[in-house]
Amino acid sequence: MQDVADRAQVSLKTVSRVINGEPGVAAATAARVKRSIADLGFRRNDLARSLRQGSTSATLGLVIEDVANPFYSAIAQAVESTARERGYLLITGSCEEDPERERELIRALVGRRVDALLLVPAGGERDHQWLEREVLGTTPVVFLDRPPHRIEADTVLLDNAGGARMAVEHLLASGHRRIAYVGDAPDLFTASERLAGYRAALTAAGLEADPRLIFQATPDGTAAPVQALLELPAEVRPTAIFTGNNRHTVGAVRALRGREHEVALVGFDDFELAEVLAMPTTVVRHDSFRMGAEAAGLAFARLDGSTAPPRRLTLETELVARGSGEIVPRSGEPRR
Amino acid sequence: MQDVADRAQVSLKTVSRVINGEPGVAAATAARVKRSIADLGFRRNDLARSLRQGSTSATLGLVIEDVANPFYSAIAQAVESTARERGYLLITGSCEEDPERERELIRALVGRRVDALLLVPAGGERDHQWLEREVLGTTPVVFLDRPPHRIEADTVLLDNAGGARMAVEHLLASGHRRIAYVGDAPDLFTASERLAGYRAALTAAGLEADPRLIFQATPDGTAAPVQALLELPAEVRPTAIFTGNNRHTVGAVRALRGREHEVALVGFDDFELAEVLAMPTTVVRHDSFRMGAEAAGLAFARLDGSTAPPRRLTLETELVARGSGEIVPRSGEPRR
DNA sequence: TTGTAGGCGTTATCAA
DNA sequence: TTGATAACGCCTACAA
């Protein structure tokens, strides 16, 4: 900046004024400075700028599991889009359910002084108090999709239990009594909530959950459980399957290929092309874009100075019937 | 940092030494400092650090069209993953084919002193010389998916023309003679290359491209052209369609729902569930993850000091036959 | 309308 | 083994 000033024969401060469009610079001077800036290819250093006290880095940090999962990329898109409206940039990191990686990421983000942190906490983490120490009330934190443990913070969740319950009730209404569950391990908040919703629906219908019909797998290991379910003896075999998230649903759709009519399927999370599959897939839909937008909104509310107690938003879900969830159980004798 | 120093009764510099693991600090002193850091919840400010060192912000900038498009999110994932190995973070921005937005983003990124810029340039831009001025040889720039205009820079592309040609040749080999093209407007590099490949294949087979069978639409406007193609009089109606990218293919699949057998379909870009659709979709596949990884590699090579002339990588494509591309044209009389 | 002084949080340099 | 001091590039406050 000093070089620019020298070249334009003004002081450094005048250059600063021109760059930031501050008033009180003679047109002629400003023009000289501008030419000088152009000649030298000068760019203001926003890092240095944000170093000044009270100044912001105009950057948000987002930690998710995996950008390549449509659920998370929708969130990233929404957060970025909201951030953009305020002139903020977004640093996104994927931690792939690795708490170690998550901690590293947060450290790096905080080190770079992001103005707020949006977080889908890695599964299995049962204590986020370290975060409190890490961030120490200096950086607003918003939790997405999964709530914090042992600390208070703004949170945006889905109605997981309600959505799951709706799915299972839908199947029960068609006459299904043997309904399987295939989802993530229950150390994931969403998974345990959805499993709870599944159980609640069964209980409310006077049924008991059959442990042989409950599978908790990693998202890339959906095929085996689904195969296993189809191979069960007729009197045990499920007539319907409820899958706990988009990865599991996609896995089930693959595993069921060619046998789509043998068993009803309802999945949590909508996914692209669900409606044009050989058997269009019935899903519990929600608005993941909105989840990101709301979370960003909460973050900006804090940045705008809100000191209200932490808020918890829960987004509703909706059942979208497309066919796979409306298959009725085979009537008559169980086949043998 | 001064607070930490006071509390540990050492100088600021000693705190700095401890934080950075520099040698020459007595174990006892270091312990005192560490406790002090923990007590105060001190975090080094990496912005200030990179300001002083004048060196690196350990951050990469990535500008794509849309994180929610699987093609780009795969790239983002790959870039982030490569960056992580080197301890770099990634700022990602979507510009949605808006050159204005692209310019803003780049400005913001450069202002924050990202160490390198990875860029999928917005369509229609025919001159990237402004970039040269903007970045002025200070920041390595790598182009992805689309080449730069009027400047030289490292670039990673797909074999667009080759892939398109392969697709059309595949259809020709099944006996198709009336093959339609539905893709983006040709101001997009990839679109014009793929259209060129389409034409080349026809020409090589001694056929002439029929302008009535060529549609250039926005990615969310695929339905209408596909409908229109199906409504053409029998003697003009195509027996096969080639779609120019994943969005168009998905659009075509939707539009063809229930009529999948009437026309063959090959799409550029693979997409999830293509293999389990009512009519499994034949595609030209490539490795978008690798594209991101290679681009990040080029960027880091520059950061490591490479002054080699700009490199241009072209990634190969591959035809994946799944069914939709193997439909043969109706034999006998054109129906009426 | 323009300029000077000081400081943001860090590290490099050199001295103690 | 430790510390004082001067940058890094910018902006705020105050003066001229």
Side-chain angles (χ1 to χ4, degrees):
Chain A
M1 195 151 124
Q2 186 61 57
D3 294 346
V4 175
D6 291 348
R7 189 172 229 273
Q9 294 174 307
V10 295
S11 85
L12 186 153
K13 175 66 219 187
T14 300
V15 176
S16 170
R17 286 197 177 93
V18 172
I19 288 170
N20 297 301
E22 285 171 36
V25 179
T29 315
R32 229 167 52 241
V33 171
K34 276 178 185 159
R35 170 155 44 241
S36 175
I37 289 175
D39 290 348
L40 266 38
F42 171 84
R43 295 288 135 208
R44 182 179 65 191
N45 184 334
D46 289 322
L47 263 40
R49 174 175 221 242
S50 70
L51 197 57
R52 290 266 355 178
Q53 215 166 22
S55 180
T56 109
S57 62
T59 308
L60 258 36
L62 173 67
V63 177
I64 55 183
E65 298 312 329
D66 176 14
V67 237
N69 181 328
F71 173 65
Y72 294 112
S73 64
I75 289 177
Q77 191 195 33
V79 172
E80 192 212 321
S81 157
T82 308
R84 171 188 319 176
E85 287 166 19
R86 307 267 302 226
Y88 279 61
L89 286 185
L90 179 65
I91 306 184
T92 307
S94 300
C95 65
E96 283 146 30
E97 302 293 4
D98 176 356
E100 194 54 47
R101 167 73 187 147
E102 177 187 34
R103 206 171 288 221
E104 273 174 30
L105 259 173
I106 291 175
R107 249 188 252 284
L109 257 12
V110 171
R112 279 174 184 68
R113 295 299 186 267
V114 293
D115 297 305
L117 214 47
L118 310 201
L119 208 55
V120 178
E125 197 89 47
R126 280 282 153 270
D127 189 348
H128 292 116
Q129 290 191 311
W130 63 272
L131 225 177
E132 201 154 43
R133 255 171 281 124
E134 203 74 39
V135 178
L136 206 71
T138 57
T139 311
V141 180
V142 180
F143 284 76
L144 287 90
D145 194 42
R146 305 167 187 176
H149 289 291
R150 307 184 45 140
I151 61 172
E152 297 267 298
D154 289 323
T155 307
V156 185
L157 302 174
L158 296 174
D159 179 13
N160 293 291
R165 181 165 179 161
M166 186 169 19
V168 176
E169 280 169 352
H170 182 74
L171 290 166
L172 288 166
S174 299
H176 293 278
R177 289 299 172 265
R178 305 199 51 74
I179 303 172
Y181 169 90
V182 181
D184 282 327
D187 58 336
L188 241 60
F189 170 79
T190 49
S192 74
E193 287 288 299
R194 291 168 197 177
L195 181 55
Y198 162 87
R199 288 185 193 281
L202 291 181
T203 304
L207 298 172
E208 214 168 322
D210 183 339
R212 288 169 297 184
L213 300 188
I214 295 182
F215 283 86
Q216 323 210 61
T218 58
D220 52 338
T222 315
V226 171
Q227 295 290 1
L229 284 168
L230 292 177
E231 303 310 325
L232 284 174
E235 64 278 10
V236 184
R237 193 186 314 141
T239 61
I241 302 178
F242 169 59
T243 44
N245 68 34
N246 64 355
R247 298 298 85 197
H248 284 294
T249 310
V250 166
V253 164
R254 290 209 177 100
L256 286 175
R257 184 167 179 205
R259 308 179 64 177
E260 295 91 349
H261 292 268
E262 292 180 27
V263 60
L265 176 67
V266 178
F268 204 105
D269 298 330
D270 201 358
F271 58 98
E272 182 163 80
L273 291 176
E275 81 280 16
V276 293
L277 291 174
M279 174 61 74
T281 306
T282 296
V283 299
V284 175
R285 175 162 69 188
H286 50 80
D287 190 344
S288 47
F289 188 90
R290 187 167 155 224
M291 176 138 133
E294 296 280 7
L298 289 174
F300 279 119
R302 295 292 170 196
L303 293 177
D304 290 340
S306 161
T307 55
R311 292 184 55 190
R312 176 174 293 208
L313 266 51
T314 303
L315 305 183
E316 73 277 18
T317 58
E318 159 193 27
L319 191 101
V320 184
R322 295 203 178 104
S324 73
E326 292 68 48
I327 295 174
V328 294
R330 290 169 185 273
S331 54
E333 302 294 304
R335 62 170 183 174
R336 174 74 240 189
Chain B
M1 195 151 125
Q2 186 61 57
D3 295 346
V4 174
D6 291 348
R7 188 171 231 273
Q9 296 176 307
V10 295
S11 84
L12 187 153
K13 176 65 212 184
T14 299
V15 176
S16 171
R17 285 196 178 96
V18 172
I19 288 170
N20 297 300
E22 286 172 34
V25 179
T29 315
R32 233 170 45 242
V33 171
K34 276 177 185 158
R35 169 153 46 236
S36 175
I37 289 176
D39 290 348
L40 266 41
F42 171 83
R43 295 288 137 208
R44 181 179 67 193
N45 184 332
D46 289 324
L47 264 41
R49 175 192 171 86
S50 73
L51 180 60
R52 170 60 241 224
Q53 292 195 147
S55 51
T56 146
S57 60
T59 309
L60 258 37
L62 173 66
V63 178
I64 55 183
E65 298 312 329
D66 176 14
V67 238
N69 181 328
F71 174 66
Y72 295 111
S73 65
I75 289 178
Q77 191 194 33
V79 173
E80 193 212 321
S81 157
T82 308
R84 171 188 317 176
E85 286 166 19
R86 307 267 302 229
Y88 280 60
L89 285 185
L90 179 65
I91 306 184
T92 307
S94 301
C95 64
E96 282 146 32
E97 303 293 2
D98 175 357
E100 194 54 47
R101 167 74 188 146
E102 177 187 33
R103 208 171 287 220
E104 273 174 29
L105 259 173
I106 291 174
R107 250 189 252 284
L109 257 11
V110 171
R112 279 174 184 68
R113 295 298 187 269
V114 293
D115 296 305
L117 214 47
L118 311 201
L119 208 55
V120 178
E125 197 89 48
R126 280 281 154 269
D127 189 348
H128 293 115
Q129 291 190 311
W130 62 272
L131 225 176
E132 200 153 43
R133 255 170 282 122
E134 203 74 38
V135 179
L136 207 71
T138 57
T139 310
V141 180
V142 180
F143 283 76
L144 286 89
D145 195 41
R146 306 167 187 176
H149 289 291
R150 308 185 45 144
I151 60 172
E152 297 267 298
D154 290 323
T155 307
V156 184
L157 302 174
L158 296 174
D159 179 13
N160 294 291
R165 179 163 179 163
M166 186 169 20
V168 176
E169 280 169 353
H170 182 74
L171 291 166
L172 289 166
S174 300
H176 294 278
R177 288 299 172 267
R178 305 200 51 75
I179 303 173
Y181 169 90
V182 182
D184 282 327
D187 58 337
L188 241 58
F189 170 79
T190 49
S192 75
E193 287 289 297
R194 291 169 196 176
L195 181 55
Y198 162 88
R199 289 186 193 281
L202 292 181
T203 305
L207 297 172
E208 215 167 322
D210 183 340
R212 288 169 297 182
L213 301 187
I214 295 181
F215 284 85
Q216 323 209 62
T218 57
D220 50 339
T222 315
V226 171
Q227 296 289 2
L229 284 167
L230 291 177
E231 304 309 325
L232 284 173
E235 65 279 11
V236 184
R237 192 185 317 139
T239 61
I241 302 178
F242 169 59
T243 45
N245 68 32
N246 63 355
R247 298 298 86 198
H248 284 295
T249 310
V250 166
V253 164
R254 289 210 177 98
L256 285 175
R257 185 168 178 202
R259 308 179 65 177
E260 295 92 348
H261 293 268
E262 292 180 26
V263 59
L265 175 67
V266 178
F268 204 105
D269 298 331
D270 201 359
F271 59 98
E272 183 164 79
L273 291 176
E275 82 280 16
V276 293
L277 291 174
M279 174 60 74
T281 306
T282 296
V283 299
V284 176
R285 175 162 69 188
H286 52 80
D287 190 344
S288 48
F289 188 90
R290 188 168 154 223
M291 177 140 130
E294 296 280 6
L298 289 174
F300 279 119
R302 294 293 170 196
L303 293 178
D304 290 341
S306 162
T307 56
R311 293 183 55 190
R312 176 174 294 208
L313 266 49
T314 303
L315 305 183
E316 73 276 19
T317 59
E318 160 194 25
L319 192 102
V320 183
R322 295 205 178 103
S324 73
E326 291 68 48
I327 295 174
V328 294
R330 290 169 184 270
S331 53
E333 301 296 303
R335 64 171 180 173
R336 168 83 237 182

